[in-house]
Each structure stands twice: as C-alpha cells, then as structure tokens.
Amino acid sequence: MGENFDQTAVKKVPFIELLKRIGPGIILAGVVIGPGNITTSAMMGSNYGYSMIWLVIPIAFMGISFMLTSYRISMLTGMPIIHAIRHYYGKTASMVVGCATFLSCLFFTMGNITGSGAGMNLIMGMNWKLGSLIMIAIILACYFTKGVYSKVEKLITLCILGMIVCFYATLAATGGPDWGEMGSGLLHWKVADGSLTTSLAYVSTNAAITAGIYGTYLGVEKKWKKEDLFNGIMLADAIAHVVAVILISGAILLVGAIVLHPSGTKITAPAQLGELLVPFLGKAAPVVMGVALLAAGFSSLLGNTQRGMVLLAAGIDKPVELESRFIRWGCLLCIAFTAVICYSYGGSPTQLIFLANIATAVATPFGGFFVCRLILRKDVNQGLKTPRVLQVCMVISYIFALIMTGSAILKMMAQL
C-alpha cells in the first residue's frame, strides 16, 4: 500500500531515461493496431467521412484513464490487476474477469489471423488461408524462443513505426484533410445513422480496459517499481500508448474519409483497403497495404495471444510468465482453435475481422467494474493523496464504454 511511502520525495526521471524505461504501452499499441483496427478505421472514414472523427477524443480520454488507473492499482497493491481482484474480491471474481478478458483476446486473435492472411493475399496473390498459415508458423517460432519480452517489444516497435510512416505519407499525398470538415467532425458529437456498431468496434479496439489490465503484467516483466508511478515513467508509457494508437487509427480514418468516402466506396474486401494508398503509391498500393496489414497482423498476433493467455492464467491462478509452459502451449492451442474457426468461415475475411473486433467489447463490463471498485477503495490509496481526478475519469470512461456497448447490443438484437 501507500503507507510509509513519500511520493513527494520521488524525483522525476530525465527524458532519455523515460524513453529507455517505457515499453508495455508500445507493446499494447502493437496489440491494438491489428488488422481489425485498420479495417474498422478504414470503414469509419469510408462510410461516414469526417462525421465520426470526434471519437478520437473519448478514445484518448478513456485510453489514458484505463492505463493509469490500472498501473496505479498494481503499483500500490504490489499485484497485477487480476491478482488484485482475487485478493480483494475472491477467486470467483478473478475467474470471471480472467475468462472475459481471455475471450475478448480470443476474438481479437481471429481478426489477426484473418488480417495476416489478407496481407499475404495482397502482397503475393496467394490464398489468404495459406498466407495466414505461414504467418502462424513464424509466430509460433517466436513464442518458443528465449527472451520473448525483449523480442516482442523490438519487433512491435518496428511495425508501429512502419505503419505510421506508410499512412502519413499517404495522408500527405492526398493533400491532407479538409480542415473545416475535420474541425466540424471533432466539435459536433453525434452518432451518424447506422454507425453505432462500427463505432463500438472502433472504440472497443482503441480504448480497451483489457490493455490496461494486461499492461500491469507487462510491468512485472519490465520490472517496474512503485517509484515509477510517480517519477513520470508510467504516465509517459500511457501517453506513448495512446498517442501511437491515435496517430495510426486516426490517419487511416482520415485517409478513408478523403479517398473512399467521396466515391461512396464501402469496405467489403481486403483488396479495397489497398485503394486507400493509391493516391501515394499508385499500382504499388495493394502490395504496400498488404505489408501494412501483415505488420499489423504480426505485431498484434504476437502480443495479443500472449495477452489472452496471461489474463486467463491470472484468472485461474496459473503461472503468468511469458516463457512459462502454460503460456507458451496455451498460445499454441489458442491459435490452432481460432485458425479452425477462421478457415471454416464462409464469408468475407474483412467481415470476419470486423465481427471479431465487435466481440472484443465483451471484456469491458466485467474488467471495468472491478477496476472501478479497486481505484475507489480507501485501503488501496491509503497513505497517499486520494486521486480524485483519476477516480472520476475512470468512472466516466467505464460508463461511456457501457453505454456504447449496451446501445450497440440492443440495436443488433432489434435487427434479429
């Protein structure tokens, strides 16, 4: 707890040291920016133009709130989130949260497998199922090597940098956004007709409570200490995560609004994603988009499957170390299971990616509920100044996510 700990005595870390000490947020950004994110972001722009760009504001607010709240609870209790839930609320609560977050990640894995295959299809013209099998083999080789954390961190960082360069070069080649329409979209918070389900997928992917929860386990791998909560390292890590996510997903949304929306193009197949890059790359656009999808699928598949297994392990009280046998073999089984579902699906790969993204919202009601309860506990914050602002931000973020999830579910049920 915070007893006998003087947070005012902790010195801020220099900027260069901050860059060395952050890492979980970057891994989480790579997990978030998967093929599902690219597809959903492109759909938001192509279907609704600039009208839904205001969602990046609550995404930034929610993303930082979820991350900092989770980090604070973990550092003050000395336990990652699901372990803290077990300590304060019992085994059943931790099992429910562990299973809910695991299922969320499992759905996300389906999108990553499909997206990796779609990337191979755009690059080499091969069947997307064969392409995804090749990527799965590479991923499994990474899981069973030593020094998993450092390798994942470096590979995902490279993938993120590549995607940022690719989409911003395209954005520049289009002449940039219409600043008037973009400003109007940011200021007028209204849900465009028919956009609720897509908006849920967009928000639940970019600002997920699962990211904050898993970040506390990556913090253990990174060997963070309580001082890092107050010296600027965890704040910098949370900001790095949110900035990376918004930079990429926001750019894709804008490119979709500029390139596809004026022609009324709807995203229904991976090949159409390549049209996003035509203004910058011409005939090479499908190949480069394939590389972007492949990088997104690789980075997200690499980190997300581990994320799901770690959260499940925490929920059922199993080892959570990335190199433990339970995590490694569990990842293999998860990928095999989701691959069978993906290969059995008869619809468009793009539609499967989108549906998988919507399903990831399953974790928010359960995980967010207990994270809210923990940050509001007096004994968790005992000995330190009560973080009123963070508490309020966390509750607001949770309620917003619940409203969006509930509204989208009710609408889908009404359409059945």
Side-chain angles (χ1 to χ4, degrees), residues 24 63 78 110 114 141 173 184 192 232 271 290 303 327 341 387 399 410:
M110 293 181 196
T114 310
S184 177
I327 300 300
I341 294 176
I399 291 173
L410 287 174

Side-chain angles (χ1 to χ4, degrees), residues 332-415:
L332 189 153
L333 291 174
C334 285
I335 290 177
F337 175 75
T338 50
V340 169
I341 294 176
C342 290
Y343 299 156
S344 302
Y345 182 75
S348 162
T350 306
Q351 191 62 26
L352 179 58
I353 293 171
F354 177 62
L355 292 173
N357 258 36
I358 295 173
T360 60
V362 69
T364 300
F366 301 99
F369 174 73
F370 285 102
V371 170
C372 281
R373 292 187 68 181
L374 283 167
I375 195 62
L376 293 171
R377 289 181 68 101
K378 291 183 179 180
D379 51 355
V380 168
N381 296 290
Q382 189 174 354
L384 297 172
K385 183 179 178 181
T386 303
R388 293 295 184 200
V389 174
L390 186 59
Q391 289 174 335
V392 171
C393 290
M394 178 62 209
V395 172
I396 291 173
S397 298
Y398 178 59
I399 291 173
F400 183 85
L402 276 184
I403 291 172
M404 285 210 66
T405 303
S407 300
I409 290 173
L410 287 174
K411 184 172 182 179
M412 285 188 285
M413 289 177 64
Q415 292 173 346

Side-chain angles (χ1 to χ4, degrees), residues 221-240:
E221 297 278 342
K222 192 73 173 178
K223 297 180 173 57
W224 276 346
K225 299 177 181 178
K226 188 181 294 184
E227 289 80 2
D228 295 332
L229 179 61
F230 304 101
N231 62 16
I233 288 174
M234 291 188 190
L235 176 60
D237 191 80
I239 291 173

Side-chain angles (χ1 to χ4, degrees), residues 7-298:
Q7 69 184 77
T8 61
V10 178
K11 295 181 179 179
K12 298 295 182 181
V13 172
F15 180 72
I16 299 300
E17 185 64 20
L18 279 178
L19 294 179
K20 294 178 182 178
R21 297 291 304 282
I22 64 174
I26 300 300
I27 288 182
L28 292 168
V31 171
V32 166
I33 304 295
N37 194 308
I38 291 178
T39 302
T40 305
S41 299
M43 283 181 169
M44 289 295 291
S46 64
N47 294 352
Y48 310 108
Y50 297 94
S51 64
M52 295 302 294
I53 197 171
W54 63 268
L55 284 174
V56 300
I57 298 173
I59 283 171
F61 181 86
M62 293 165 67
I64 292 180
S65 298
F66 288 157
M67 297 282 286
L68 288 182
T69 302
S70 300
Y71 285 167
R72 183 181 180 91
I73 292 167
S74 178
M75 289 299 102
L76 295 187
T77 62
M79 296 174 280
I81 290 296
I82 297 181
H83 284 72
I85 292 172
R86 181 186 296 112
H87 176 79
Y88 288 101
Y89 302 109
K91 293 182 179 179
T92 301
S94 67
M95 188 177 298
V96 168
V97 175
C99 290
T101 50
F102 168 73
L103 287 173
S104 175
C105 295
L106 195 66
F107 288 124
F108 209 60
T109 297
M110 293 181 196
N112 293 333
I113 289 175
T114 310
S116 298
M120 292 291 277
N121 173 262
L122 286 171
I123 295 170
M124 301 180 181
M126 67 171 62
N127 183 281
W128 72 269
K129 295 179 181 179
L130 176 60
S132 65
L133 277 176
I134 294 172
M135 294 308 301
I136 286 172
I138 296 172
I139 291 292
L140 292 178
C142 293
Y143 284 150
F144 286 86
T145 59
K146 291 185 178 181
V148 173
Y149 178 88
S150 61
K151 289 183 175 65
V152 169
E153 186 176 285
K154 290 181 177 65
L155 287 170
I156 288 179
T157 300
L158 287 174
C159 289
I160 288 174
L161 290 174
M163 284 188 282
I164 289 174
V165 170
C166 180
F167 286 108
Y168 273 88
T170 303
L171 193 58
T174 63
D178 181 313
W179 296 104
E181 288 192 40
M182 181 176 167
S184 177
L186 287 170
L187 293 175
H188 295 87
W189 289 33
K190 60 180 181 179
V191 179
D193 292 340
S195 70
L196 190 58
T197 305
T198 311
S199 298
L200 172 63
Y202 189 65
V203 172
S204 63
T205 303
N206 287 297
I209 188 65
T210 314
I213 293 173
Y214 184 47
T216 63
Y217 289 89
L218 292 177
V220 174
E221 297 278 342
K222 192 73 173 178
K223 297 180 173 57
W224 276 346
K225 299 177 181 178
K226 188 181 294 184
E227 289 80 2
D228 295 332
L229 179 61
F230 304 101
N231 62 16
I233 288 174
M234 291 188 190
L235 176 60
D237 191 80
I239 291 173
H241 166 75
V242 171
V243 168
V245 168
I246 290 179
L247 277 178
I248 298 174
S249 66
I252 299 169
L253 189 156
L254 287 174
V255 173
I258 296 167
V259 178
L260 301 181
H261 182 67
S263 64
T265 302
K266 307 294 183 184
I267 301 292
T268 58
Q272 290 174 291
L273 293 172
E275 294 178 26
L276 290 171
L277 305 183
V278 168
F280 175 54
L281 297 165
K283 294 181 180 179
V287 174
V288 176
M289 175 53 77
V291 172
L293 276 175
L294 204 58
F298 178 81

